[in-house]
């Protein structure tokens, strides 16, 4: 579908929904008001009151009072909630103006919400957010990683190395990749301290242990861990269940994909509760040999007193995935015989040995164009184990004062194994092997590249509510210590080399500390002001020899000030306007330092983020429009060139920006039929870009001044649409996802781009309550119904040879029509 046709379609749908909203508005007449207090009669300002099954919600004022106007007649359920109290639901048959007062009961197991409350955006925080509930996650949780389950949120683009969403997956928000997105679990940082990325494959089926996820686009609110340059993702682990339960769920699908999960919980007994989960996911993958064998566990034990709660969580993940990291060359995707021959002629199969190139070329030509995987060695796998130990202490001083502190420790260890045919001995620091009169300089090698890391620290927060003022103070200290080393597992001609000999060894240590203060000030009933100030410091040291045998020892220190200011204006009960300005700073990651051009040092990046959001809500209609302008100073981008050992170069570009509009809408068309969708339109530019291309003829890089160019992997259009039907336990979702054209480097060249694509999915579900169980659910998810052929990610390396420019690249095709079917039984 072309961008123009898609936009016309979206406009028609939007006009239909607006017309429907006008019809709804004409029948609105009734007013409901009331007060929210605790059982002792104390008012609860800031309590949230919603009407279930609608998009209406409001917040109690400083006197605990609330009001809804222009409601329709009918049976409605009013829901009142407040942190530290049990939610109260009152059902009424509404035919005239009514007063509904709530008296909330103190909640003995409220500590779970306190874990994330300090870093989350509240109802009056001027930050654009998307909240994804447990129910929404469970509808699609049949084995795919978390990025695939969040793919329907605004400005979110996903990719899967294996092509089917199991194994290594990635995502971008507003074009920013994962190492520019801050991710936390219960307020504890998840991003790898050195790469800044998040490897979801290390936490398979973690969705089954989540309560909800909040995505804050833009800089967002202050939190611990990596700098947020595109968004923040804040995950909360599951709340304690008051009653005992047991749950078994299994899924089966295309590419021999299987998922099995068992969950149990004791419920709350004399203040104690215990929950556990075991999961296993296996898949052959869409790409040849791109298999995954994933295992995980989750344990939670806690004591919940009247004022003090202590909780311990353990998250364990183990993965083994066959490598599919290189993708499919464009010449193979397009069945370009001449291009495939060029790969052999130009030694792009990593060897000058003619027999190897002929053999590899034959394999490429014989493979399926969309599932080709260059790796054939049986143990060309990535293997990693990771454990997360977390201890939380929460103390409630009063209804308006709460303290939370958490301690964490995450050890991780793993390697990826590679077979290198006819590799040079000098790459391993080895001298030629002399046998008789022969001097052997190359041999077959099996090697492993290892990571062995420890990450530990503490995060804390204190919140205080006063009349017209909400304060949150917090911070954290974290340390990361990681050994990187490579060992030789086997050599065809070993000489004096022994099994397990290390050929490189280096260490990285990083201390990250921060402190923040947040204030939300109510000027009057309509206007509130927001201020958020954070100081963040980083001490980073690298010492030792890297895999290319270079000494990469270095030291870097940073101290950042990250201020955020905003305002929230409640125009009336249906209209809200909020705006914010934020400054964020981000230090370079490990690869930025070690892959930089010799003699140069990358500098930190800075972002100035401007956001303006309008939100309109009626009982059966919601519309949100967000304008943003993200102005970058010294953003790090790929140059297109390589350094003296062949690694891709990145550089700071002086000026670049992202600007756009994000539209989100939802409508209850009937009691059984609803629709929601989002559309993001953006422009993403580097103001002045100089491209580097490696010159094989003359050596070094040839530079091209390209002026203003598009930032790679930043589609100008993304959109999602979900039509849902739910009645008597039966549900159907019709899902459409559209991602516009993306450039795979910063040159704005059509030859190096991903085509736009539209993918349609269908989700069928049925739930009922048999006599022998609490619930029995069936779920079928059919992905890519119309069998669209598309690639969601790619990489490219350009070079000049014989006076001409060529490309070596890898594209990541995604699976055609495929399915997953699951059943879940809960007692």
């Amino acid at each position: 579908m072309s961008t123009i046709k898609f936009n016309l379609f979206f406009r028609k749908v939007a006009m239909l929904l607006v017309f429907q909203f006008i019809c709804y508005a004409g029948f609105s007449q009734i007013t409901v008001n009331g007060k929210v207090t605790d059982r002792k009669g104390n008012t609860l300002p800031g309590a949230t009151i919603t009407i279930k099954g609608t998009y209406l919600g409001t917040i109690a004022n400083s006197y605990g009072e609330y009001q809804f106007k222009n409601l329709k007649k009918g049976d409605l359920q009013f829901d009142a909630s407040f942190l530290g109290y049990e939610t109260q639901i009152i059902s009424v048959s509404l035919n005239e103006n009514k007063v509904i007062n709530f008296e909330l009961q103190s909640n003995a197991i409220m500590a779970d919400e306190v874990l994330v409350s300090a870093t989350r955006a509240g109802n009056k925080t001027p930050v654009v957010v998307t909240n994804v509930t447990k129910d929404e996650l469970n509808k699609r949780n049949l084995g795919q990683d978390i990025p695939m389950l969040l793919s329907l949120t605004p400005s979110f683009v996903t990719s899967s190395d294996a092509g089917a969403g199991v194994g290594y997956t990635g995502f971008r928000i507003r074009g920013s990749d994962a190492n520019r997105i801050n991710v936390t679990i219960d307020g504890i940082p998840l991003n790898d301290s050195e790469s800044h990325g998040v490897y979801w494959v290390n936490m398979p089926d973690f969705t089954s242990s989540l309560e909800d996820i909040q995505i804050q686009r833009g800089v967002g609110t202050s939190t611990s861990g990596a700098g947020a340059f595109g968004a923040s993702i804040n995950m909360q682990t599951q709340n304690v269940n008051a009653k005992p339960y047991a749950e078994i769920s299994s899924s089966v699908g295309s590419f021999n994909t299987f998922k099995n999960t068992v969950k149990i919980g004791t419920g709350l007994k004399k203040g104690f509760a215990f929950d556990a989960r075991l999961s296993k996911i296996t898949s052959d993958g869409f790409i040849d040999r791109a298999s995954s064998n994933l295992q995980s566990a989750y344990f939670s034990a806690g004591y919940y007193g009247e004022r003090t709660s202590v909780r311990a969580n353990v998250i364990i993940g183990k993965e083994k995935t066959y490598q599919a990291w290189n993708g499919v060359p464009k010449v193979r995707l397009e069945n370009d015989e001449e291009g495939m021959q060029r790969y052999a002629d130009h030694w792009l199969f990593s060897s000058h040995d003619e027999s190897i190139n002929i053999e590899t070329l034959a394999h490429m030509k014989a493979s399926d164009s969309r599932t080709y995987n260059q790796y054939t060695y049986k143990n060309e796998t990535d293997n990693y184990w990771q454990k997360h130990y977390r201890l939380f202490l929460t103390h409630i001083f009063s209804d308006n004062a709460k303290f939370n502190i958490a301690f964490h420790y995450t050890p991780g260890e793993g390697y990826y194994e590679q077979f290198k045919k006819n590799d040079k001995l000098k790459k391993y620091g080895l001298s030629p092997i002399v046998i008789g009169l022969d001097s052997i300089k190359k041999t077959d090698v099996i090697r492993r590249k290892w990571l062995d890391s420890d990450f530990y620290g503490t995060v804390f927060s204190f919140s205080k509510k006063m009349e017209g003022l909400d304060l949150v103070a917090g911070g954290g200290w974290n340390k990361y210590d990681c050994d990187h080393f490579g060992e030789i597992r086997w050599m065809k001609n070993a000489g004096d080399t022994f099994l397990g000999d290390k050929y490189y060894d280096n260490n990285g240590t990083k201390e990250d500390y921060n402190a923040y203060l947040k204030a939300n000030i109510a000027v009057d009933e309509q206007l509130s002001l927001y201020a958020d100030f954070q100081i963040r410091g980083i001490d980073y040291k690298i010492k030792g020899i890297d895999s290319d045998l270079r000494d990469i020892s270095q030291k870097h220190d940073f101290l950042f000030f990250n201020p955020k200011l905003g305002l929230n204006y409640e125009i009336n009960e249906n209209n809200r306007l909020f705006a914010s300005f934020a400054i964020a700073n981000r230090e370079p990651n490990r690869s930025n330092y070690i892959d930089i051009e010799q003699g140069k040092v990358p500098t930190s990046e800075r972002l100035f983020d401007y956001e303006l959001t309008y939100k309109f809500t009626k009982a059966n209609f919601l519309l949100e429009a967000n304008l943003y302008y993200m102005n970058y100073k010294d953003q790090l981008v790929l140059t297109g060139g390589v350094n003296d050992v062949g690694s891709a170069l990145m550089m700071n570009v002086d000026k670049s920006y992202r600007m756009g509009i994000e539209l989100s809408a939802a409508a209850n068309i009937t009691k059984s039929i609803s629709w929601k969708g989002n559309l993001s339109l953006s422009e993403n530019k580097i103001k002045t870009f100089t491209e580097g291309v490696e010159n094989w003829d003359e050596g070094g890089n040839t530079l091209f001044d390209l002026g203003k160019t598009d930032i790679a992997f930043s589609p100008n259009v993304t959109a999602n649409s979900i039509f849902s039907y739910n009645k008597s336990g039966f549900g159907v979702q019709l899902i459409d996802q559209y991602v516009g054209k993306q450039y795979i480097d910063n040159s704005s060249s059509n030859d190096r781009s991903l085509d736009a694509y539209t993918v349609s999915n269908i989700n069928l579900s049925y739930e009922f309550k048999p006599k022998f169980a609490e619930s029995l659910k069936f779920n079928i998810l059919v992905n890519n119904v119309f069998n669209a052929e598309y690639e969601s990610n790619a990489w490219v390396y350009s070079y000049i040879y014989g006076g001409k420019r060529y490309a070596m690249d890898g594209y990541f095709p995604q699976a055609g029509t495929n399915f997953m079917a699951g059943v879940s039984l809960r007692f």
Side-chain angles (χ1 to χ4, degrees), residues 131-403:
N131 294 306
V132 185
T133 66
K134 179 194 292 188
D135 288 342
E136 291 175 301
L137 291 169
N138 287 343
K139 284 179 181 178
R140 304 182 67 203
N141 182 23
L142 297 172
Q144 293 182 316
D145 285 349
I146 287 177
M148 312 307 287
L149 304 184
L150 299 180
S151 62
L152 300 176
T153 59
S155 303
F156 202 104
V157 178
T158 62
S159 182
S160 167
D161 283 8
V166 179
Y168 270 91
T169 57
F171 67 97
R172 295 182 175 87
I173 301 178
R174 290 185 179 175
S176 293
D177 57 28
N179 68 37
R180 284 176 165 81
I181 296 170
N182 175 278
V183 183
T184 58
I185 301 174
D186 296 331
I188 294 174
L190 184 62
N191 299 74
D192 179 81
S193 295
E194 288 193 303
S195 72
H196 301 182
V198 174
Y199 303 99
W200 303 98
V201 70
N202 298 333
M203 304 177 68
D205 198 29
F206 186 57
T207 307
S208 294
S209 294
L210 286 178
E211 189 67 27
D212 55 30
I213 298 176
Q214 183 179 88
I215 302 173
Q216 302 176 13
R217 297 191 297 282
V219 170
T221 64
S222 289
T223 185
S224 292
F229 258 49
S232 296
I233 297 179
N234 184 311
M235 298 184 287
Q236 181 186 350
T237 52
Q238 65 184 50
N239 289 337
V240 174
N241 286 271
K243 298 179 180 180
Y245 69 93
E247 184 176 326
I248 302 172
S249 59
S250 294
S251 306
V252 61
S254 301
F255 318 116
N256 288 321
T257 301
F258 295 93
K259 170 183 172 287
N260 292 288
T261 302
V262 177
K263 296 175 64 177
I264 59 170
T266 62
L268 193 65
K269 295 182 178 180
K270 296 182 179 181
F272 291 92
F274 176 80
D275 296 271
R277 171 186 58 81
L278 296 174
S279 301
K280 182 177 177 65
I281 301 172
T282 58
S283 177
D284 290 345
F286 168 66
I287 301 298
D288 294 341
R289 295 174 295 286
S291 60
S292 300
N293 187 340
L294 316 176
Q295 303 169 55
S296 69
Y298 171 85
F299 304 98
S300 179
Y303 170 74
Y304 299 86
E306 184 177 349
R307 289 290 181 182
T308 303
S309 300
V310 180
R311 179 182 177 187
N313 286 356
V314 178
I315 306 165
I316 301 173
K318 181 180 180 181
E319 62 91 3
K320 182 174 183 176
T321 55
Y322 195 94
Q323 293 182 22
W325 300 343
N326 271 0
V328 181
K330 190 175 184 179
V331 294
R332 170 66 274 192
L333 276 174
E334 297 179 348
N335 294 310
D336 179 0
E337 293 274 349
E338 184 179 338
M340 285 186 274
Q341 184 62 51
R342 173 176 60 84
Y343 261 63
D345 295 342
H346 291 186
W347 312 289
L348 299 181
F349 295 124
S350 303
S351 177
H352 289 248
D353 189 308
E354 184 177 353
S355 63
I356 294 173
N357 283 283
I358 292 173
E359 177 184 327
T360 311
L361 176 62
H363 171 243
M364 179 189 282
K365 291 182 176 181
S367 299
D368 183 271
S369 62
R370 297 194 62 78
T371 65
Y372 169 74
N373 187 350
Q374 76 173 69
Y375 298 116
T376 57
Y377 167 55
K378 66 178 182 179
N379 201 36
E380 194 92 10
T381 57
D382 180 64
N383 306 262
Y384 201 75
W385 306 263
Q386 194 172 67
K387 303 178 182 70
H388 303 256
Y389 302 99
R390 289 134 184 264
L391 179 66
F392 303 92
L393 171 66
T394 300
H395 182 68
I396 312 301
F397 295 99
S398 68
D399 290 342
N400 295 319
K402 302 174 180 66
F403 174 74

Side-chain angles (χ1 to χ4, degrees), residues 567-638:
L567 60 85
N568 178 75
Y569 185 65
E570 305 285 342
I571 302 171
N572 54 43
E573 65 178 4
N574 302 120
N575 296 274
R576 176 188 175 205
L577 186 69
F578 57 93
S580 67
F581 167 71
I583 298 176
N585 295 275
R586 174 183 177 272
E587 75 279 13
N589 63 21
R590 173 185 165 89
S591 64
N592 298 150
Y593 283 125
I594 66 176
D595 294 335
I596 195 70
E597 189 174 349
Q598 189 172 6
K600 294 186 177 181
V601 178
T603 64
S604 61
E605 305 168 273
R606 178 169 292 184
L607 167 62
F608 302 88
D609 183 21
Y610 305 82
E611 308 269 344
L612 175 63
T613 307
Y614 167 72
K615 191 171 184 178
F616 175 82
T617 55
K618 291 289 286 185
N620 293 298
F621 183 76
L622 178 149
L623 175 66
E624 182 175 274
N626 178 63
L627 293 168
Y628 66 88
Y629 178 67
M630 304 172 73
N631 188 27
Y632 295 88
K633 172 67 175 173
D634 294 327
Q635 184 176 190
L636 280 159
V637 301
L638 287 166

Side-chain angles (χ1 to χ4, degrees), residues 628-686:
Y628 66 88
Y629 178 67
M630 304 172 73
N631 188 27
Y632 295 88
K633 172 67 175 173
D634 294 327
Q635 184 176 190
L636 280 159
V637 301
L638 287 166
T639 67
V642 297
N643 64 11
D644 54 355
V645 294
S647 298
L649 286 175
M650 296 192 76
M651 70 173 184
N652 296 101
V653 292
D654 183 36
K655 295 179 181 179
S656 55
Y657 67 88
R658 301 181 188 275
M659 60 183 297
I661 180 170
E662 296 165 325
L663 301 172
S664 299
N668 291 331
I669 300 171
T670 69
K671 289 184 177 181
S672 302
I673 301 174
S674 63
W675 173 86
K676 66 178 179 180
N678 53 73
L679 171 67
S680 299
L681 305 173
S682 65
E683 181 177 88
N684 312 275
K685 297 288 186 179
I686 299 170

Side-chain angles (χ1 to χ4, degrees), residues 49-65:
I49 305 93
T50 61
I51 304 176
K52 295 178 74 67
T54 76
Y55 302 106
L56 293 179
T58 189
I59 300 171
N61 63 19
S62 57
Y63 304 102
E65 298 171 343

